[in-house]
Amino acid sequence: MKHVLSVLVENKPGVLSRVTGLISRRGFNIESLSVGPTEDPTMSRLTAIVIADDLGYEQITKQLHKLISVHKITDLTDEASIERELALFKVNAAPERRNEIIEIANIFRAKIVDVGRTSLTVEATGDDAKLKGLEDLFRAYGIKEIVRTGKVALSRSSRD
């Protein structure tokens, strides 16, 4: 099962290595990983998508809590949350087909960020389904390269 883990850690060298090493040493796969500083420059938020059964996931979180550099762990798996990812697509774009690719990008609220003689590079953000849909449409034109960031996630604000 996929688990979405949001971990608040100290923004220091070696912390990412300790966290990922802890997970991988136990034989679990990290499907997606994204790390960046928070509103507090001494802290970073690590968002990881971990493939593990419930028992394995419990083991991971218990071990993470033991790391002194880990301050808070939030399980966003079943929580109302906002997840986003960034993708760049370099798409084959013959001059006579560029308008079609631009239209597809516009429908998905994506941006053209680079124009080459034979390709267009498109930047898109969104959830997994949106990025997969865009990728499927671009495949008809030929995709030269794809790069995707890891997911970032935050719990939704309460509606109180």
Side-chain angles (χ1 to χ4, degrees):
M1 176 177 178
K2 287 185 185 181
H3 294 274
V4 181
L5 200 64
S6 179
V7 185
L8 195 60
V9 298
E10 292 177 4
N11 189 5
K12 292 184 176 177
V15 173
L16 174 61
S17 177
R18 284 192 294 279
V19 170
T20 58
L22 183 148
I23 295 169
S24 64
R25 273 193 309 278
R26 282 155 182 77
F28 299 105
N29 187 39
I30 299 172
E31 183 176 278
S32 172
L33 180 67
S34 182
V35 185
T38 65
E39 64 284 354
D40 176 355
T42 66
M43 304 297 280
S44 288
R45 181 170 312 281
L46 181 147
T47 305
I49 310 300
V50 179
I51 310 297
D53 58 19
D54 290 338
L55 184 62
Y57 181 72
E58 184 179 333
Q59 179 187 13
I60 290 168
T61 56
K62 283 181 178 179
Q63 293 297 315
L64 284 174
H65 277 295
K66 290 180 182 180
L67 293 177
I68 198 161
S69 54
V70 172
H71 289 265
K72 183 179 180 184
I73 299 172
T74 306
D75 182 358
L76 298 174
T77 306
D78 297 323
E79 195 173 310
S81 63
I82 302 163
E83 294 181 9
R84 293 292 183 268
E85 187 174 2
L86 168 71
L88 296 174
F89 301 93
K90 188 180 287 185
V91 183
N92 289 324
E96 63 275 4
R97 301 201 72 192
R98 284 182 187 222
N99 284 339
E100 296 170 30
I101 296 167
I102 291 168
E103 281 299 314
I104 291 169
N106 288 339
I107 290 168
F108 281 82
R109 293 189 192 123
K111 299 177 192 173
I112 307 299
V113 293
D114 187 50
V115 178
R117 287 185 304 130
T118 61
S119 66
L120 292 173
T121 302
V122 180
E123 170 191 302
T125 59
D127 61 17
D128 197 48
K130 176 181 176 179
L131 298 180
K132 180 71 174 123
L134 194 54
E135 179 181 340
D136 290 345
L137 290 172
F138 285 156
R139 289 227 178 265
Y141 299 92
I143 297 176
K144 290 184 174 187
E145 291 180 74
I146 298 175
V147 65
R148 289 175 68 159
T149 64
K151 290 181 183 178
V152 293
L154 282 176
S155 59
R156 288 196 176 270
S157 300
S158 62
R159 306 265 185 213
D160 300 338

